[in-house]
Amino acid sequence: MSLREAARGLVFFLLSVLAVQGEDGWRFTYAPTQICTIKGSTVTIHCTFSHPSRINDHDVTVERTFWFTEVQNKEPEDLRTDSKYAGRVQNHCGESDCTLTITDLRESDSHVYEFMLITGQGGRFIGSPGVKLTVTGFSVLITKTSWCTYPSCTWSDVQCHTSCVLNNRPSYVWYINGQNKQRQNLHFTHNFYSEDSVSCAVKGFENSPSAPVCVHGNSCNRVNYRDRSICAFKGSSVDISVDYHSFYNPTSKFWFVAEPNDRWRYGNKAKIQEQVGRFQVLETAGGRSTLRISNLRESDSAHYRFIFDPYTWWTSLPGTTLTVKDPDLQVQVIWSPSGPTLTCHSSCLLSERSSFVWYKNGTKIQGETSPSFRGLLDPGDFYSCAYERHRSLPVYAPKVPSVLMSHPGDIFKDSSVTLTCSSDAYPPHTYAWNKENQKLGSEPHLVLSSIQSSDSGEYYCTAENELGKTSSKYVLINVKYAPQTSIVSVSPPGVIVEGRPVNLTCSSDSNPAATFTWYKESRTLFRGPEGVYRFSSISSGDGGVYRCKSENQYGQTNSTSLHLDVQYAPKPPSVSASPSAETVEGSSVNLTCSSDANPAANYTWYKENKDSPKASVQIFTIADIRAEHGGNYLCAAENRRGRRHATLRLTVVTGAWKSMVTGTILAVFLLFILLAVFLWSRRHKSITQQSECSKRADGGAQLGPVSDQRPAAPAVLQDDLEYTSICFNQSQTDAVYSNIRWVHPPREREEDKEEEDGVEYSAVRFHSSATGTGSQEDVEHSSPLYSTVKLNYKSTM
């Protein structure tokens, strides 16, 4: 059986039950809860745990785990920081379990061991009742003694005893005066002499035998080594000590080197004290011998034994095993509830009696000789430890990390960027990447492949070890890209009402920021860096289709069209009647009302002085009109935004008036026609007379002056006689035409009167001013239409 297998086999369980603490979702399980094992062995204590995933709306994360021994009225302390356990304790913890391993067990390790868990929110939870560990050694009990023939010799029955209940019927090894007797039972009966000593061990653990016991009295031959194994650094010094007693006065005593199971006979091995230089044997009163070896070498690694005469003929009792190694001191930083603790650690299990030296920033710290340093630690300082002039590397918190970007300059969408975090620290530290308050990763390199606009932001990294945590400066990643989208939105949302303020906003995701161009239908409104188009008081004419364009130096994009529907109250209505607002009794008429409104208006017709509506339509038709239908009609145009109205006067014409009105209209029409013909005829004759007068003037015709004498009426009336031709001498000036009036013609003969029916006469009165008083002449003639033309002129004669 190997030593490791034997160690496993000698962990004895007195009780194997589950320890459970299930309050509020927390659960700790130990299996077993009591362990009994022997000195020098190795023990493993195991705990599994679980916890709720969330507490008070926060995720529960386990930050720290450690084992401690139950000490009354004392803050729990991580075993790894206790100098008594230095180099002998290891923790192996996972997400739901944790294992404590203690090697080279000592009887002083007998304690109750408990597990503590600390969350990221600062909660502290202890799994009770823990595991009770009992460490015990072996002792020899003399159960029976009987005398024989010789008084100095007795038959005695001895037993190898331990307080643990050993399972699997282990084998035992018995030693008399250090010689292996090859006995394997729990009890051993032998004929012992007065000088004999006896000791025992469990097979596989011969390096941890019981102390020798005298069968008769206390003056037998016995040797007891203080350390069964010692580890030391090359170049250092070591003391190997033994307590001994001789039944007789010893004739010689010395140290020698042998393999642990070698049988040694005198003369086969060189005495160590015969060597000079590095070896020294120190004898003290009371039976103690110490072998001191200086400036250790790896070749000094061996099994050392001490013998004395007459205890020299044979011995196989294990001595002290020395292991010499290269110095590998290092400072371990172990967290505890009271803060970080430094422990001077090595692959050698350095003796707890060893003296250590501690340094801060290269200066020795006075009074610190323990393998653990418990002073106040400053994250900015360096700490190291030394043993036998061998010094560890310093430990220190991480320095401020630096961040290197793989892609300097502008970063474009879909490219790849790598950020590298570096920091100086010892012991080795861990990294963490963050973007604002978002955790991204725990590697020194952060790779952003196919980078997107959402990756823009400030990044930083942290470096952390047990001594502290530091963060780098922020690194800005600014991803450049063309506008991705253009979206038009209306504020305030909902229905748009005329007269209220309205904003159209063009939103675009781009970097750098986009410039915006606004359009209404195909007309450009404006272009600028602000994506808001404002209406301080929107009107009905502002309705229509709007869109925007977003652009920067990397591209552009157009928004979808937005139809802006502006609601407003009806405008003043327009009313009309068809065919006319003045209609004849018995006919029909359509009254039409129209108004500009959004939403479309509803129309209602009212008769003047009537409360109830006549109709709720846009076109109100009245068939078979009667006199009572006449009057004022009011049209009301209404929608949810308001109400407007207008009035129409409807006139109804009866049957008598119909003929009169028709005749009047016809007479007026004919009068206009006659007047037009008359005016045209006069214009034509005027032009003709002017032409004839011009001819007369050219022919020497001369008109004499007009005197006061009245011209004689013509005696004979001729057909087609015209009294409308008037000629004026060109020498006469200032002709004035006035006093055109109706006059009565002179009496004439009846026969002439009959012939003159239908002839139109014009009486022309001339007023001339000369040296004397002018005269007037009235020409009267009976005709259906008479006119008087008064002409005023001055004579030039």
Side-chain angles (χ1 to χ4, degrees):
M1 179 184 295
S2 68
L3 195 63
R4 183 180 299 273
E5 292 172 345
R8 292 176 179 172
L10 286 175
V11 178
F12 306 110
F13 303 138
L14 297 182
L15 184 62
S16 180
V17 295
L18 298 180
V20 177
Q21 181 180 1
E23 182 180 357
D24 299 330
W26 294 91
R27 182 181 179 90
F28 297 85
T29 305
Y30 299 95
T33 58
Q34 295 189 32
I35 300 175
C36 184
T37 186
I38 61 173
K39 181 177 65 175
S41 64
T42 298
V43 69
T44 298
I45 303 174
H46 187 72
C47 176
T48 59
F49 58 90
S50 60
H51 57 80
S53 60
R54 292 180 65 83
I55 296 179
N56 297 329
D57 294 330
H58 294 285
D59 293 335
V60 176
T61 57
V62 177
E63 293 290 332
R64 306 282 183 179
T65 56
F66 65 91
W67 291 86
F68 65 97
T69 57
E70 186 183 57
V71 180
Q72 294 294 332
N73 301 323
K74 187 177 179 181
E75 182 75 13
E77 178 183 8
D78 194 322
L79 287 178
R80 293 171 295 177
T81 67
D82 191 338
S83 60
K84 298 187 299 293
Y85 292 89
R88 299 191 298 123
V89 173
Q90 289 183 339
N91 286 0
H92 299 282
C93 296
E95 294 182 356
S96 60
D97 64 333
C98 196
T99 299
L100 169 68
T101 302
I102 307 175
T103 61
D104 190 22
L105 282 170
R106 304 162 187 175
E107 292 184 60
S108 60
D109 295 336
S110 297
H111 287 290
V112 173
Y113 293 82
E114 293 183 274
F115 175 73
M116 175 178 279
L117 181 151
I118 300 179
T119 67
Q121 292 72 34
R124 300 170 65 180
F125 300 89
I126 298 176
S128 295
V131 176
K132 182 179 180 180
L133 173 65
T134 301
V135 181
T136 183
F138 291 97
S139 61
V140 175
L141 297 179
I142 301 175
T143 59
K144 184 178 180 181
T145 300
S146 61
W147 296 97
C148 303
T149 305
Y150 301 99
S152 61
C153 181
T154 61
W155 285 95
S156 298
D157 183 57
V158 293
Q159 179 184 348
C160 194
H161 173 75
T162 180
S163 59
C164 291
V165 178
L166 304 182
N167 296 328
N168 300 325
R169 299 178 62 85
S171 297
Y172 296 87
V173 178
W174 288 96
Y175 299 93
I176 298 178
N177 297 325
Q179 182 183 6
N180 189 341
K181 292 300 182 178
Q182 301 295 319
R183 298 293 192 272
Q184 297 181 358
N185 295 327
L186 176 65
H187 293 272
F188 176 45
T189 302
H190 186 69
N191 188 14
F192 293 98
Y193 292 92
S194 298
E195 66 270 20
D196 289 343
S197 65
V198 63
S199 64
C200 70
V202 174
K203 191 172 183 179
F205 283 84
E206 289 85 353
N207 285 338
S208 300
S210 67
V213 175
C214 295
V215 180
H216 301 294
N218 293 319
S219 59
C220 63
N221 296 319
R222 60 184 184 272
V223 175
N224 190 24
Y225 294 90
R226 297 193 67 188
D227 297 295
R228 293 297 180 176
S229 63
I230 297 176
C231 182
F233 291 145
K234 184 171 62 176
S236 64
S237 299
V238 68
D239 287 348
I240 304 174
S241 299
V242 66
D243 296 323
Y244 67 95
H245 186 272
S246 176
F247 185 79
Y248 304 101
N249 289 328
T251 58
S252 65
K253 50 185 178 294
F254 57 90
W255 288 87
F256 69 96
V257 177
E259 292 298 324
N261 294 324
D262 276 356
R263 290 176 178 272
W264 182 86
R265 292 186 181 280
Y266 184 76
N268 291 348
K269 296 293 181 181
K271 299 177 181 180
I272 290 179
Q273 62 263 37
E274 294 178 355
Q275 300 184 16
V276 293
R278 297 186 301 112
F279 294 87
Q280 183 182 5
V281 176
L282 304 176
E283 289 288 338
T284 60
R288 175 173 291 182
S289 179
T290 299
L291 173 64
R292 177 169 293 171
I293 308 175
S294 302
N295 193 19
L296 284 170
R297 305 168 184 172
E298 290 187 17
S299 59
D300 294 332
S301 297
H303 192 74
Y304 292 84
R305 293 179 181 174
F306 173 80
I307 59 174
F308 58 87
D309 283 334
Y311 195 45
T312 56
W313 286 277
W314 58 81
T315 182
S316 56
L317 188 68
T320 298
T321 301
L322 173 64
T323 303
V324 180
K325 291 186 174 182
D326 287 325
D328 61 349
L329 280 177
Q330 58 179 334
V331 177
Q332 285 188 335
V333 184
I334 300 173
W335 186 92
S336 68
S338 58
T341 299
L342 304 182
T343 299
C344 200
H345 178 74
S346 169
S347 59
C348 275
L349 298 179
L350 302 177
S351 172
E352 63 183 34
R353 297 186 297 274
S354 302
S355 179
F356 295 84
V357 179
W358 285 95
Y359 296 88
K360 176 180 177 179
N361 297 328
T363 302
K364 182 179 179 180
I365 302 175
Q366 299 298 328
E368 291 289 345
T369 59
S370 169
S372 296
F373 175 71
R374 301 180 181 276
L376 182 63
L377 300 178
D378 190 330
D381 293 333
F382 295 77
Y383 298 89
S384 61
C385 68
Y387 173 78
E388 290 287 343
R389 301 186 305 276
H390 297 288
R391 196 162 168 179
S392 71
L393 293 173
V395 295
Y396 49 95
K399 305 303 178 184
V400 176
S402 62
V403 177
L404 178 65
M405 186 182 299
S406 64
H407 187 79
D410 289 341
I411 300 173
F412 297 99
K413 184 181 175 184
D414 297 324
S415 63
S416 179
V417 175
T418 300
L419 301 179
T420 301
C421 184
S422 60
S423 175
D424 179 26
Y426 192 82
H429 50 281
T430 59
Y431 292 100
W433 282 99
N434 299 269
K435 178 188 177 185
E436 282 85 26
N437 294 321
Q438 177 187 3
K439 293 184 178 180
L440 299 178
S442 57
E443 298 295 330
H445 303 286
L446 178 65
V447 179
L448 303 174
S449 58
S450 186
I451 199 167
Q452 300 298 309
S453 59
S454 58
D455 294 321
S456 293
E458 292 183 328
Y459 292 76
Y460 69 95
C461 70
T462 59
E464 180 179 14
N465 65 7
E466 292 83 352
L467 285 173
K469 177 180 179 180
T470 55
S471 299
S472 70
K473 294 181 179 179
Y474 285 91
V475 175
L476 177 64
I477 290 184
N478 190 15
V479 181
K480 302 295 182 66
Y481 52 95
Q484 303 297 296
T485 57
S486 291
I487 301 174
V488 177
S489 60
V490 182
S491 176
V495 177
I496 300 172
V497 180
E498 185 179 37
R500 298 179 182 177
V502 174
N503 292 337
L504 300 183
T505 301
C506 186
S507 302
S508 178
D509 179 21
S510 65
N511 191 18
T515 298
F516 302 94
T517 304
W518 281 96
Y519 301 91
K520 181 181 181 184
E521 278 82 28
S522 59
R523 180 167 57 93
T524 301
L525 299 177
F526 85 95
R527 182 177 185 272
E530 186 179 12
V532 181
Y533 188 64
R534 294 180 173 85
F535 300 92
S536 59
S537 177
I538 198 165
S539 65
S540 59
D542 294 324
V545 177
Y546 291 80
R547 63 184 177 89
C548 72
K549 179 177 68 175
S550 305
E551 60 182 329
N552 62 12
Q553 60 264 44
Y554 303 114
Q556 67 181 35
T557 182
N558 292 317
S559 72
T560 57
S561 297
L562 172 69
H563 181 262
L564 197 61
D565 184 29
V566 181
Q567 293 191 0
Y568 49 93
K571 303 302 181 183
S574 172
V575 292
S576 62
S578 177
S580 172
E582 188 174 295
T583 184
V584 179
E585 187 177 24
S587 63
S588 65
V589 67
N590 292 330
L591 306 183
T592 302
C593 184
S594 62
S595 175
D596 181 19
N598 188 18
N602 295 318
Y603 298 95
T604 305
W605 286 93
Y606 296 87
K607 183 77 181 296
E608 186 177 33
N609 299 325
K610 302 291 185 180
D611 294 333
S612 59
K614 300 296 291 183
S616 296
V617 292
Q618 185 176 6
I619 301 176
F620 175 36
T621 301
I622 305 176
D624 190 16
I625 290 180
R626 297 185 298 276
E628 60 268 20
H629 289 151
N632 292 330
Y633 286 82
L634 182 142
C635 169
E638 182 178 16
N639 64 10
R640 69 172 70 102
R641 301 301 167 196
R643 175 187 176 99
R644 301 295 290 271
H645 64 272
T647 304
L648 172 69
R649 176 73 178 179
L650 180 64
T651 302
V652 179
V653 180
T654 62
W657 281 93
K658 178 179 179 183
S659 299
M660 185 172 61
V661 170
T662 302
T664 302
I665 293 173
L666 181 59
V668 171
F669 179 71
L670 293 176
L671 177 62
F672 276 110
I673 293 175
L674 290 175
L675 180 60
V677 171
F678 172 72
L679 294 176
W680 177 85
S681 175
R682 289 201 51 186
R683 177 176 176 81
H684 176 70
K685 290 178 180 180
S686 175
I687 295 172
T688 304
Q689 289 175 358
Q690 290 177 7
S691 176
E692 292 176 356
C693 290
S694 298
K695 292 179 180 179
R696 291 175 187 172
D698 294 337
Q702 182 176 1
L703 292 178
V706 180
S707 63
D708 291 335
Q709 61 184 3
R710 187 181 301 267
V716 182
L717 297 177
Q718 299 179 357
D719 294 337
D720 300 329
L721 179 65
E722 287 188 352
Y723 298 92
T724 57
S725 297
I726 304 173
C727 292
F728 298 93
N729 194 305
Q730 294 181 356
S731 62
Q732 296 176 347
T733 60
D734 298 328
V736 177
Y737 303 88
S738 64
N739 292 330
I740 302 175
R741 59 188 177 89
W742 299 100
V743 296
H744 298 285
R747 292 184 179 179
E748 298 176 359
R749 291 175 303 177
E750 291 295 331
E751 60 270 16
D752 296 334
K753 183 177 180 180
E754 292 177 0
E755 294 178 0
E756 291 174 355
D757 289 339
V759 181
E760 183 178 2
Y761 295 91
S762 295
V764 181
R765 179 181 298 166
F766 299 93
H767 294 270
S768 60
S769 59
T771 57
T773 302
S775 63
Q776 295 183 350
E777 180 181 15
D778 293 333
V779 180
E780 295 181 0
H781 198 281
S782 61
S783 174
L785 182 61
Y786 298 93
S787 63
T788 302
V789 179
K790 179 185 280 187
L791 303 178
N792 296 326
Y793 67 95
K794 285 184 178 181
S795 175
T796 58
M797 297 179 63

